Amino acid sequence: MQDDNDYMRLALGEATTAAGAGEVPVGAVVVAADGAVIAAAHNAPVGSHDPTAHAEIRALREAAGKIGNYRLTGMTLFVTLEPCAMCAGAISHARLARLVYAADDPKGGAVAHGPRFFEQPTCHHRPVIEQGPFGDEAAAMLRDFFRARRKL
């Protein structure tokens, strides 16, 4: 069985794929309660012409399609960046048991920052939330990506 480090490494690999495609480097992995990886995805709004194509949304869609149910009860989402409000809403609706994210996002995050989505009384389901491993690596990948874009 793998551990949180292994799953977050998979998510970081997805983030690397996103960066290679010119997308913001964010990756996500959905893991079942038994440790099986159900889905993995990276950011793709630019290439897909879809503003909702965040890594989390894409991974949730893939996982739901594989199990034939939009409720991903008992599953964990590993993501390299603190989810935004849209993704936090989707996580709540998916009924994930756990959310593990690597890097904080003080500007656009909605879990530990901004609206703190899961703390709102209107939130229907709250997963266990943990700041996981490789936060420094994920943050560095994002900084490097945006630094390179500013030089263009």
Side-chain angles (χ1 to χ4, degrees):
M1 180 167 294
Q2 297 180 318
D3 65 11
D4 287 3
N5 290 336
D6 296 320
Y7 298 123
M8 195 60 80
R9 278 189 196 97
L10 291 173
L12 284 168
E14 289 291 328
T16 299
T17 300
E23 303 278 357
V24 174
V26 178
V29 175
V30 177
V31 178
D34 68 0
V37 173
I38 304 299
H42 57 273
N43 266 6
V46 176
S48 65
H49 312 291
D50 179 358
T52 69
H54 289 196
E56 300 96 320
I57 300 293
R58 294 180 70 228
L60 295 175
R61 285 178 180 156
E62 181 182 333
K66 282 185 179 174
I67 69 164
N69 192 332
Y70 77 96
R71 290 194 175 189
L72 305 176
T73 308
M75 297 190 189
T76 299
L77 176 68
F78 290 85
V79 62
T80 59
L81 182 65
E82 176 184 349
C84 69
M86 174 184 69
C87 293
I91 290 163
S92 178
H93 283 283
R95 306 297 196 266
L96 288 164
R98 189 169 162 238
L99 165 65
V100 181
Y101 69 91
D104 279 323
D105 186 357
K107 186 174 180 181
V111 177
H113 299 88
R116 298 178 189 248
F117 183 88
F118 298 110
E119 296 176 18
Q120 300 307 313
T122 53
C123 179
H124 296 284
H125 173 79
R126 294 163 183 85
V128 172
I129 300 165
E130 299 172 31
Q131 188 158 14
F134 306 115
D136 291 341
E137 291 84 344
M141 189 181 300
L142 286 156
R143 275 192 308 274
D144 292 347
F145 175 82
F146 286 111
R147 185 176 298 124
R149 305 266 309 173
R150 284 191 295 273
K151 289 181 181 178
L152 294 177

